Amino acid sequence: MNYDRILIRYGEISTKGRNRNKFVDKLRKSVKIALAPFPNIKIEAGRDRMYVLLNGENGIEIIEKLQHIFGIQSFSPAIKVERDVEALKHSALELVKSLYKEGQTFKVTPRRSDKTFVLNTDGINRTIGGFLLGNIPGLRVDVRNPDINLQIEVRSEAIYLSCENILGPGGLPVGSSGKAMLMLSGGIDSPVAGFMAMKRGLEIEAIHFFSPPYTSERAKAKVVDLTKKLAEIYGSSIKLHIVPFTNVQQAIRDQIPENYSMTTTRRMMLLIADEIRNKEGALAIITGESIGQVASQTLESMFTINEVTNTPILRPLITMDKTDIIKIAQEIDTLEISNRPYEDCCTIFVPASPKTKPRREKVQRYESYFDFNPLIAEAVQGVETLSIQPVDQTSEFDSLF
């Protein structure tokens, strides 16, 4: 039997109250964008469920797309049946027969959200289970580990039958929590931080600091490829802002004591990122920091670096071990790109003994001897903004603005 629709379950969205419709609408838009290559599908979104009507489109390809959309807890290929016991019996038989192989077991899992239906859950179980056993020779019941789990969901408008639950990524629909700027280096951590932020419903734009000739065009291409991966997860284009950072870094090297240079570098990056955030109308900055991982990620360092802005700094990886971060990077397919041996600006001019417990008053004094403001303004003015398309939509990227 060919399924005619896919039933989508919301997960965390179902815990929302009066504003649930806002989250459902965001998810509907995400699904619509992801399924744009399938012109015949129709999306029906309700308060508790969403349905993708296939209308002859390739269900396997659509299932692959749905597995990557944040906000979907799980989904099932399904068929719609009228609210009639006889129609239910014969549709269930047709569905199970299409899947059954000799010697397999089954069970019936009814769910009756509409209590007005003529059969209760036990009645559905007995009626449908008995009908299947009487019409499929060799079929046996196994309620613990069945080969076929016939799920019957009775709702007010119809009955839905399915035999498969496919997990989605969970989380919240992208864009439902606002927009934030991701500080994207070429390393392992920041793409994972971007992924985790998108899972919590954030729309992201990326900021990368580029320091030619100390960093190469291959390092820039590496970040473009990382952004493409994130755009593929997002299902649409992502802006990448490339900041010319050479002059700022050279000034830091010349003006700031070596053991405080990393602290000042991070402070200048944060100042520039905050200027871009303000221009783009975002409300937060995301970093890939994990506490204690490197010198600039101690609590004392973050306290000193954060001083330059009142903007919320989101650190999705803050308590995660490196091994856990690497595992996620493998799952989202960014690890191999991050491991390409091309240096970014965070790895040049690294002091031999960076300060792990920098003091605000000291870094303030060192920075007061030189006016960084013109260089910051120059870097912001020189930002190159690219619109990075998902890998499966284009192999190139277009410069915008």
Side-chain angles (χ1 to χ4, degrees), residues 229-350:
K229 284 294 182 182
L230 293 177
E232 186 176 359
I233 295 167
Y234 179 46
S236 187
S237 63
I238 291 178
K239 284 185 183 179
L240 171 61
H241 306 278
I242 299 177
V243 180
F245 199 56
T246 307
N247 292 341
V248 178
Q249 275 199 287
Q250 288 177 331
I252 293 170
R253 182 187 60 180
D254 296 340
Q255 302 296 329
I256 304 297
E258 185 182 30
N259 61 345
Y260 267 84
S261 62
M262 182 60 71
T263 303
T264 293
T265 297
R266 297 292 185 184
R267 283 162 64 95
M268 296 300 119
M269 285 180 169
L270 201 51
L271 280 170
I272 293 168
D274 205 29
E275 289 286 338
I276 299 170
R277 173 206 63 78
N278 188 49
K279 285 186 174 184
E280 295 297 315
L283 299 176
I285 295 170
I286 305 161
T287 76
E289 293 166 301
S290 174
I291 195 163
Q293 189 175 135
V294 294
S296 64
Q297 296 177 21
T298 63
L299 203 57
E300 293 85 354
S301 286
M302 287 188 281
F303 178 75
T304 299
I305 294 165
N306 276 21
E307 181 194 22
V308 300
T309 180
N310 291 321
T311 297
I313 309 300
L314 309 182
R315 298 178 170 94
L317 314 184
I318 193 67
T319 62
M320 294 180 65
D321 293 339
K322 190 69 174 185
T323 51
D324 296 327
I325 297 170
I326 290 172
K327 183 180 178 182
I328 295 174
Q330 289 174 322
E331 291 172 354
I332 65 174
D333 201 24
T334 58
L335 183 62
E336 184 178 345
I337 300 172
S338 294
N339 281 333
R340 292 177 190 170
Y342 310 128
E343 291 187 327
D344 58 41
C345 68
C346 297
T347 58
I348 62 174
F349 305 150
V350 176

Side-chain angles (χ1 to χ4, degrees), residues 58-216:
N58 189 318
I60 295 175
E61 292 182 8
I62 289 174
I63 286 171
E64 172 63 25
K65 295 283 187 181
L66 293 178
Q67 285 178 296
H68 303 288
I69 299 176
F70 293 122
I72 295 178
Q73 187 67 28
S74 66
F75 58 94
S76 299
I79 58 174
K80 183 179 181 180
V81 181
E82 62 180 290
R83 288 165 48 90
D84 176 80
V85 174
E86 288 302 312
L88 173 59
K89 287 163 63 175
H90 290 286
S91 293
L93 177 61
E94 187 179 354
L95 176 57
V96 173
K97 268 188 171 180
S98 70
L99 300 171
Y100 175 69
K101 295 178 181 178
E102 187 175 353
Q104 285 189 325
T105 59
F106 86 109
K107 78 170 182 178
V108 177
T109 304
R111 181 183 178 189
R112 192 175 65 126
S113 59
D114 178 15
K115 307 302 181 185
T116 66
F117 187 62
V118 63
L119 297 177
N120 61 17
T121 53
D122 187 57
I124 294 171
N125 209 335
R126 292 177 180 275
T127 300
I128 303 305
F131 187 73
L132 295 176
L133 287 170
N135 287 276
I136 303 179
L139 183 65
R140 294 178 293 112
V141 175
D142 183 346
V143 297
R144 294 185 180 275
N145 188 30
D147 297 304
I148 300 171
N149 181 11
L150 175 62
Q151 299 165 78
I152 301 175
E153 184 168 351
V154 180
R155 300 184 66 80
S156 59
E157 73 281 2
I159 300 173
Y160 298 93
L161 305 181
S162 61
C163 289
E164 186 177 10
N165 273 352
I166 302 170
L167 289 178
L172 295 173
V174 172
S176 61
S177 298
K179 182 163 71 172
M181 312 302 289
L182 171 66
M183 295 178 70
L184 183 64
S185 70
I188 295 171
D189 300 338
S190 54
V192 175
F195 167 79
M196 299 295 285
M198 288 194 295
K199 187 172 183 178
R200 296 309 304 158
L202 286 170
E203 174 189 352
I204 66 169
E205 294 184 15
I207 300 173
H208 178 68
F209 293 86
F210 185 52
S211 295
Y214 305 108
T215 56
S216 68

Side-chain angles (χ1 to χ4, degrees), residues 8-31 45-50 69-72 170-178 198-202:
I8 295 173
R9 302 176 186 88
Y10 295 148
E12 188 174 345
I13 293 177
S14 298
T15 67
K16 303 301 178 184
R18 295 179 181 177
N19 62 347
R20 186 190 297 190
N21 288 341
K22 181 188 79 169
F23 289 89
V24 171
D25 186 55
K26 286 287 187 181
L27 179 57
R28 186 184 185 283
K29 289 178 180 176
S30 293
V31 172
R47 181 174 173 81
D48 301 310
R49 292 286 188 271
M50 186 177 296
I69 299 176
F70 293 122
I72 295 178
L172 295 173
V174 172
S176 61
S177 298
M198 288 194 295
K199 187 172 183 178
R200 296 309 304 158
L202 286 170

